[in-house]
Amino acid sequence: MKTFIGIDLGSTTTKALILDEDLEMLGKGITNSRSNYATAAAVAKEEALTGARLELFRRGLGGELSSSAAETLMTDLELAIRLEQFLDQLEDLRKTCATQIAPGQDGVLEALDEIFRQIKTEAPDMFTRDARRKSDFFRDIAGSRVMQIGEAVAKQAGIAYDTLINLYDKSIIEVENRPPTSDMAQMFLRAIDRLTTAGSELGLDQSTARTVMQAALDIELEEASQVGTGYGRVTLPFPKDNIRSEILCHGLGAHMMYAGTRTVLDIGGQDTKSIQVDGEGIVENFQMNDRCAAGCGRYLGYIADEMNMGLHELGPLALKASKAVRINSTCTVFAGAELRDRLALGEKREDILGGLHRAIILRAMSIVSRSGGITDEFTFTGGVANNQAAVKELKALVKENYGDVTINIDPASIYTGALGAAAFARRALDS
Amino acid sequence: MDTWVKDMRKLNDIVDYCQTLYDDLNFTAARDWKAAKPGRHVIGYMPTYVPREIIHAAGMLPLGVLGGGDNLEVIHGDAYYQSYICRIPRSTIELAVTKRLNFVDGMLFPSTCDVIRNLSGIWKLLYPDVYSRYFDVPQNFTSAVGGTYYVQELRELAEGLEGISGTKITDEALNRSIDLYNKNRRLVNDVYNVRQVTPWKALSWEVYLLMRAGMVLPVEEHSQLMTDYLAAVQAEDRPKRDNCRVIVQGSFCEQPPLNLVKSIELAGCYIVDDDYMLVNRWLQDEVPTDGNPMENLADAFLNYSGETACKYVPEREDKGKFLIDAVRERRAEGVIFAAPSFCDPALLDRPMLSGALARENIPHISFKYAENSGQMQPIREQAGTFADTIKLWGEA
Amino acid sequence: MTLAAGIDLGTGAVKAVIFDVTDGKINWVSRHIEKIRQRDPHKLAREALDLAIKDAGAEIGDVGYIATTGEAESLDFSTGHFYSMTTHARGGIYLEPEARAVLDIGALHGRAILVDERGKVLGYRMTSQCASGSGQFVENIARYLGITWEEIGPLSLQADDPEKVSSICAVLAETDVINMVSRQISTPNILKGIHMSMAARLVKLLRAVKVTDATVLLTGGMASDIGLVAALNEAMAGQKVDVNSKSHPDSIYAGAIGAAIWGAYRHDKLTRLDELALAS
Amino acid sequence: MSNQTQITTPAASQEVIKDASMLKQKAMIADNYDKLTRAKELGLKVASTYVPGNLNELIMCFDMLNNLPEINAIQNGMRKKSGGMIMDAEKMGHSEDVCTYVKADIGNMAKGSIAPNGKPMPVPDLLLLSYTGCFTFLKWFELLRDQYGCETAMLHVPYTGDGIITDNMRDYVVKQLKEVLIPTLERVSGVKFDIDRLREYLRQSAKAEDDLVWVLKSAKNTPSPIDAYFGGVFYIGPIFTAFRGTPDAVEYYQLLRGEIEQRIAARMGPVTPDGDLGEEKYRLVVEGPPNWTSFREFWKMFYEEGAVVVASTYTKVGGVYDYDGFRHDPDNPLESLAEYCLGCYTNRNLPTRVDMIEQYLEDYQADGLLVNSIKSCNSFSAGQLMIMRTIEERTGKPAAFIETDLVDPRYFSPANVKNRLESYFQMIEQKRRAGGSARAA
Ligand SMILES: Nc1ncnc2c1ncn2[C@@H]1O[C@H](COP(=O)(O)OP(=O)(O)O)[C@@H](O)[C@H]1O
Ligand SMILES: Nc1ncnc2c1ncn2[C@@H]1O[C@H](COP(=O)(O)OP(=O)(O)O)[C@@H](O)[C@H]1O
Ligand code: SF4
Ligand code: SF4
Ligand code: SF4
């Protein structure tokens, strides 16, 4: 079947999305851009292809299962596959770390093995339905575990903590830049086997499942056309005609998600943009932040680092704020200093975080205002839309300033640009 | 008249009252004044100088609009200004579009710099039906040339105001207003003098708030408030700290956050003169209260107004003289240049002024702020080092 | 014996020293340094002080003056506070009597301080808002490149074709660096590029305080980064600034040292005043 | 970075724009710099003054040479020298935040004020501070006076805050001309003022101005034979600088007009550094000065995409001749000088600037407005977002906003500007395809 691929090479994350001929989504994938762009694109695409196979499998199931049972199966399947991939990469990381050990460092290898043994043991629990992960990226999940477990292990073994962490620091980039190598088909079949034996209450027998899966795997996915967008789009190995500005892609993507959208706000890692679109998803006006990266997604990243927290945890903590702390500077670099300033003044972490989220959204609201404000349906996209505290502040401020307008936030909003790009790829076929 | 003024004697009460006025981004005091009698009008003005006497003589309240400070959340203002422009115009716009200035019957934009100048145009585009005027002053200081031009500008301003009120501004009324403002200026100078002599009693941030009150109160009330303050502060017994004495320069337009004023003092510097709210002290001498008032006002402007970055200094030798004189008169030990970020007039003036100070061996430092600066640590550090140096190595 | 303690509470680390100042003779007794790393700085400051006092073989009651500097104005156990530039200037002169300027490069900002031979601050300049030339930034990049703090300097010295970092903002500079990695620029060349851009800013500070023809002592945490020191000297040579920049193994203590010495000075003065008062 | 291909000076770009008019301008500029740098030996006095509201005809009446610091800053910007000069000025204590023209000039002075011909510029005999349309001018000349210590004469040109030139304003300027400037010029130069000489120069000015306006209006053709921004800055050179009122300028504009007539006849587009423009895809109006340090790179982002600027406001800073038909007038010499000063683009209030741009969009059938916001220049930039917003509302045409600087290379971020321009062009294109605002054929 013909597929259309959109790739959004963002400053922090790289997203890939695959559409079929009817503009139905087949799969999507994401990875952090903090590495070689080409690799990032490849990794994201790989993940999107995995998703596509899953989607084809779901379609293949047809009426075999009740919709709720199918939903459960799909979720479990996805988690099982993620776990497999995680373990693969973990093993790769262990091996790479081991090669970095300088000669004569006694006991380091043993300590390392102990750390990885522990992570491996707890891994299955990280990929259960209600597990809370710090992040979706291998770098973040593995990193935080290595550090935490490493501290205890180092103490026990009498090795310097820094020694262990340095090994990790040196290896992670290498590992991250190696696209997954394992055989996808085998992985899928292994996972389906496991789930159908364990979950017999699904009412799906193993051989049917295997047949459907095999069929899904056999469908040939033809890459009819591919369009790139995002910050790094010029570095993509595509012809110029297959590259669209992220403004157009976000506009179209948001329009496809919510046809009534007239204003789109996108807060990404390094830029914030506000886009006005017409009823066809055509861009009428846009505004972006200036060269200063203040108040964008990376700001939250710095804060999370500073507080030793995962990005996913910031929002929930900020939601606990009980008092408004006014933060006026959104300079990313000084965010940490300001934070310490406030902590020293005795403010509570959650209150400061609340203030920081408000500061970001205030800045975004200014850009929205600059692009002409909000008249009708409003869609919030980009990675920061995943952050509940940011969303809360946004909703409040939109209401204060523009009254009761519809506010759309799709759980997959981070893929908006990639969706638009894929749609452009589909259009290219027609023209 | 207003009885509450008479009851107010305690220093704390006066300062609290000023703080309330300062914090009130809705200008309730001015709104109440306007609502108290039908037919009253309020005319807003921005820094640095407008002849408030004329507004007063028209029976109107001059309302100083000095930006939004550090408590206003600016959303729409940023939609009108790029990041490399100072803050005061954007927070002023924010005040306007959030309807906090909707009771103001006219706005004056003095010739302070191109930013305020262009803000006058934005106002005309946003509020075509509200009276607004770019208020120009001459940069030629001879009576025959600049004076003639200025008198006519003042007349045009008066005509504009008459258009709003529907009544003529008589010479008698204007002379009366000049008299009231003369008195107000005397009191302002008294407060500054008291602070100069006993800076540990009249704390700078209190004086600041007291002067800010003059931006929103009728002149009569403001004068009364200063009289009360002077009495209260003399009675106050406050510890004298081992601080050095400085003049703050460059803050004539966008205002520093109050915390900055406090931080300078905390870090060991008594402020013995400043250029905050220059409109209070722009005219350096009494304006005659008889004769042709327009000409008298023009004369005072040409001959007796202070030096600031918005005014041309015709002679090279005179540049910085005003500041050096102030250092001498106030017995200051140093100068702190504190200018708003992106403020062309203040920042372009600074090298010339600091050159003049250096020639006189007067220590000085400089930093920038924004009206909503939140981090005071770098400011304290610089002011503190300055104070340390003067204390550890000063002449004494 | 007059003992004076100096505590420099920075954004990156807490430094505490004990000095013995008797009859004008200045004697460094003990020291302690502790990286902050998301811990309560005030508690750390107290611990550092206690450890330094212990090393000095003394008790808290023996210390005549506890002087603080850095972000420690509100420490409750201090006798007095001096501001960073005052203390770095004095500490700088203590470590390098020839120095006529001190360049303090810490976790978040750089300061150039012009001093005279007695440690008096004659002028200074600080880096403003943007922070790409700071320790924090280098630390982040190092983490990203997968190298340790100690390796930065030596690696930077190996550069053969340094790549310039153009952005003024640390966030954008980070992206620059990411791009460099994907363009396969070698780690030494990236580091050297960063050092060069930092050096350029720092030289600008030095020129702004009008340092000419003098020895500059580097203080603060970054003083131990030999890559930066080399880049600085090159930049100065390139800009024909005739100064010689030096580092000192104890550079990171400069602020604490200055605080202790000024503390002892004030202690002396106050005691004399007290004696005068008693005598009268 | 390839330095070989950059345009160095308007004149030196002749390998690119080879027309006779270009050669003529090059010779004029070279000759002028030659005179300036030899002023002492030629026994000529020099007045430094600004482009907006410059009183070239009056200065000529006293046999004085006209030196323009802004033009020197531009020259240094185009030769990529301004960056270093600005940093020098900052090292001398000037703030990072202020206008970079001033700093480029001051940095240049510290280096001995070398003219483009490699020789040092003379210390001016007079600083003629015509304070028109920009407050920074006032500070700039105070700074220069501080350095040079030479005589300064100030002409205060009031701002037309209500969009009109009042009698009071005109009288004030005329009075200053009579009572301050002319006596000072007489004293400094030793030459007596002769009003008939002034009339003659003004007559020449008006002639050249007619042709200039014709040239600017030629952009109403489709395709436009000129680029009214990137090309425009060359076309306005003579009239904005030391040549207004000279026969050279008259001749230059006649030559230029002839060349453009030919282009129109041949239905040719504008000349670009890479030859004639191919297909004209987008017609734009631009507000704001250009970036000089990456002038060619910047221009390329336009012509590569087939974008032509058909009208610009920057080409009106040294005098607005097209919008309401102002000409220097020999019959009312001093009054017309006053009106000229009062009417320069940045001395007009924001509502008037909006009206002008709106009219350009319509008259020149442009697809939209592009604002190049200059970090340095409050006079231009403060309020541009409001201009943009109002234009969008009134015309329904799309506008875009980019941010650069005149002569500070640190504020030209090519990737950023290109990204916005590309998005803008794609947006216009997308709109057109959707059948919305089809372009007039
Ligand atoms: N799950 C999440 N929870 C909270 N914030 C997130 C999450 N995912 C991404 N973000 C935020 O989104 C930012 C990246 O957004 P993205 O749209 O991918 O940017 P870009 O396109 O520039 O790479 C991150 O810096 C982070 O702040
Ligand atoms: N041995 C070291 N280990 C880690 N960081 C160091 C070391 N030496 C210097 N640094 C650097 O110095 C910085 C702290 O410098 P310092 O002068 O103490 O700054 P501050 O006074 O602001 O805390 C750290 O951010 C780090 O970049
Ligand atoms: S360092 Fe901060 S203020 Fe400076 S450009 Fe970066 S984010 Fe903006
Ligand atoms: S702060 Fe300075 S630049 Fe801003 S409006 Fe005031 S005078 Fe102008
Ligand atoms: S502010 Fe603008 S008009 Fe004024 S000197 Fe600078 S660049 Fe020229």
Side-chain angles (χ1 to χ4, degrees), chain A residues 166 170 173 270 302 306 334, chain C residues 38 129 144 146 148 174-175:
Chain A
N166 284 346
K170 285 186 191 168
I173 300 179
Q270 267 187 20
Y302 265 74
E306 182 71 30
F334 280 95
Chain C
Q38 285 127 18
Q129 260 272 298
Y144 176 71
T148 62
E174 242 177 68
T175 318

Side-chain angles (χ1 to χ4, degrees), chain B residues 24 53 55 71 77 101 110 115 141 197 236 265 274 284 293 295 340:
Chain B
D24 181 8
E53 293 84 349
I55 305 171
N71 265 322
L101 290 172
V115 174
F141 304 106
V197 180
E236 198 76 3
E265 221 159 52
D274 60 59
Q284 304 274 305
E295 279 172 17

Side-chain angles (χ1 to χ4, degrees), chain A residues 278-417:
Chain A
D278 69 8
E280 310 295 315
I282 292 174
V283 176
E284 302 217 285
N285 193 342
F286 65 90
Q287 286 289 324
M288 295 165 76
N289 62 311
D290 48 40
R291 290 228 301 143
C292 172
C296 301
R298 267 304 281 148
Y299 176 73
L300 288 172
Y302 265 74
I303 295 289
D305 285 353
E306 182 71 30
M307 291 199 153
N308 208 5
M309 292 170 70
L311 257 182
H312 289 43
E313 299 165 313
L314 284 182
L317 184 56
L319 285 176
K320 298 207 178 95
S322 54
K323 117 176 210 262
V325 171
R326 171 127 34 242
I327 306 276
N328 280 329
S329 129
T330 43
C331 168
T332 310
V333 183
F334 280 95
E338 178 131 15
L339 198 86
R340 283 189 295 267
D341 239 23
R342 299 296 175 137
L343 284 172
L345 288 175
E347 306 275 12
K348 289 213 297 268
R349 294 206 313 171
E350 52 269 33
D351 295 340
I352 302 172
L353 272 182
L356 289 166
H357 280 85
R358 185 161 180 94
I360 293 188
I361 298 302
L362 275 173
R363 224 182 113 86
M365 288 300 290
S366 293
I367 294 169
V368 170
S369 172
R370 204 182 260 201
S371 76
I374 300 171
T375 45
D376 206 331
E377 265 185 52
F378 173 71
T379 304
F380 183 24
T381 74
V384 177
N386 283 329
N387 181 314
Q388 287 315 308
V391 168
K392 180 181 152 225
E393 292 296 347
L394 181 81
K395 284 187 169 160
L397 278 164
V398 167
K399 187 158 179 171
E400 260 171 53
N401 285 280
Y402 303 102
D404 284 308
V405 290
T406 311
I407 302 177
N408 306 313
I409 299 163
D410 193 285
S413 69
I414 201 166
Y415 294 97
T416 310

Side-chain angles (χ1 to χ4, degrees), chain C residues 10-13 15 35 105-107 135 139 149 220-222 224 252:
Chain C
T11 43
K15 285 81 57 180
K35 273 200 144 190
I105 320 161
E139 222 171 313
W149 172 256
M222 294 297 292
S224 57
I252 197 163

Side-chain angles (χ1 to χ4, degrees), chain A residues 53-275:
Chain A
R53 293 293 167 192
L54 282 173
E55 170 63 19
L56 290 173
F57 171 71
R58 194 181 60 82
R59 290 185 190 176
L61 279 178
E64 295 277 349
L65 283 177
S66 70
S67 70
S68 68
E71 209 50 59
T72 320
L73 177 61
M74 292 308 297
T75 313
D76 288 347
L77 196 53
E78 200 190 318
L79 284 168
I81 286 165
R82 280 178 163 278
L83 175 61
E84 296 266 350
Q85 288 170 332
F86 177 80
L87 291 174
D88 266 6
Q89 273 194 299
L90 193 69
E91 178 56 17
D92 188 4
L93 181 62
R94 188 190 63 80
K95 284 193 189 138
T96 314
C97 285
T99 62
Q100 300 275 2
I101 302 175
Q105 287 186 310
D106 289 337
V108 175
L109 184 64
E110 289 71 23
L112 206 60
D113 282 343
E114 174 57 20
I115 296 174
F116 282 94
R117 194 192 56 75
Q118 289 193 27
I119 303 181
K120 205 167 158 182
T121 318
E122 59 179 31
D125 289 338
M126 289 193 260
F127 294 91
T128 58
R129 246 174 271 161
D130 31 36
R132 294 185 66 164
R133 286 180 301 277
K134 274 194 145 191
S135 155
D136 292 325
F137 303 135
F138 177 72
R139 171 198 257 296
D140 302 335
I141 308 176
S144 72
R145 294 318 293 153
V146 167
M147 296 200 193
Q148 204 151 28
I149 299 175
E151 195 168 359
V153 170
K155 217 172 235 165
Q156 247 172 20
I159 301 172
Y161 170 62
D162 268 3
T163 316
L164 288 176
I165 298 309
N166 284 346
L167 291 176
Y168 164 81
D169 281 347
K170 285 186 191 168
S171 310
I172 184 69
I173 300 179
E174 238 178 86
V175 173
E176 217 174 35
N177 280 339
R178 268 196 288 270
T181 46
S182 52
D183 179 353
M184 206 199 316
Q186 282 311 315
M187 200 162 68
F188 274 73
L189 291 170
R190 263 202 320 269
I192 204 80
D193 280 354
R194 233 186 347 195
L195 287 172
T196 41
T197 26
S200 47
E201 73 264 26
L202 279 173
L204 182 70
D205 73 88
Q206 198 168 72
S207 71
T208 320
R210 273 193 144 248
T211 322
V212 176
M213 180 56 90
Q214 195 58 56
L217 287 168
D218 287 343
I219 297 175
E220 198 205 339
L221 293 182
E222 181 208 340
E223 200 178 300
S225 146
Q226 175 165 311
V227 163
T229 185
Y231 180 87
R233 63 178 184 269
V234 277
T235 57
L236 279 172
F238 304 166
K240 187 164 181 265
D241 283 350
N242 288 1
I243 292 177
R244 290 286 181 288
S245 92
E246 63 244 53
I247 308 280
L248 296 193
C249 291
H250 273 274
L252 185 59
H255 170 78
M256 288 172 67
M257 289 176 170
Y258 304 96
T261 301
R262 287 297 173 277
T263 307
V264 186
L265 171 66
D266 173 65
I267 309 185
Q270 267 187 20
D271 46 36
T272 301
K273 26 190 182 287
S274 170
I275 307 164

Side-chain angles (χ1 to χ4, degrees), chain B residues 34-239:
Chain B
K34 178 171 170 171
K37 263 192 208 141
R40 279 187 169 178
H41 298 279
V42 176
I43 301 292
Y45 63 90
M46 297 208 58
T48 22
Y49 173 72
V50 297
R52 293 181 296 181
E53 293 84 349
I54 299 181
I55 305 171
H56 186 268
M60 302 178 180
L61 176 70
L63 174 74
V65 178
L66 283 81
D70 56 352
N71 265 322
L72 182 71
E73 285 183 341
V74 172
I75 293 176
H76 304 289
D78 278 334
Y80 294 81
Y81 287 99
Q82 302 88 316
S83 57
Y84 41 77
I85 290 176
C86 57
R87 288 210 50 101
I88 182 169
R90 73 188 75 222
S91 57
T92 303
I93 288 268
E94 188 77 24
L95 289 174
V97 297
T98 52
K99 305 206 159 56
R100 291 173 163 101
L101 290 172
N102 59 2
F103 67 104
V104 171
D105 303 286
M107 271 298 273
L108 298 182
F109 301 89
S111 82
T112 304
C113 72
D114 295 336
V115 174
I116 297 222
R117 184 195 78 181
N118 287 5
L119 180 59
S120 75
I122 293 189
W123 220 264
K124 284 189 194 301
L125 288 166
L126 277 178
Y127 307 107
D129 301 330
V130 176
Y131 174 78
S132 69
R133 182 174 176 87
Y134 171 71
F135 178 73
D136 212 348
V137 294
Q139 302 284 7
N140 171 302
F141 304 106
T142 53
S143 310
V145 184
T148 311
Y149 165 72
Y150 191 47
V151 168
Q152 183 57 29
E153 285 295 301
L154 292 178
R155 289 221 173 90
E156 283 176 25
L157 170 64
E159 279 161 24
L161 297 178
E162 285 164 358
I164 298 176
S165 69
T167 47
K168 192 112 186 82
I169 302 175
T170 63
D171 280 2
E172 292 71 47
L174 191 46
N175 276 327
R176 253 198 320 278
S177 302
I178 290 175
D179 188 42
L180 282 171
Y181 275 94
N182 278 339
K183 180 169 177 233
N184 188 265
R185 277 187 285 268
R186 269 199 304 272
L187 284 161
V188 168
N189 286 333
D190 288 347
V191 172
Y192 271 74
N193 291 339
V194 164
R195 181 175 68 168
Q196 178 202 323
V197 180
T198 48
W200 58 93
K201 285 193 176 180
L203 298 176
S204 284
W205 66 274
E206 290 182 359
V207 171
Y208 180 85
L209 287 176
L210 188 64
M211 296 301 144
R212 265 301 275 263
M215 303 297 99
V216 295
L217 291 179
V219 62
E220 301 86 343
E221 282 180 36
H222 184 231
S223 293
Q224 182 63 49
L225 200 60
M226 288 193 289
T227 312
D228 291 350
Y229 179 83
L230 282 166
V233 93
Q234 302 289 9
E236 198 76 3
D237 191 22
R238 282 173 160 166

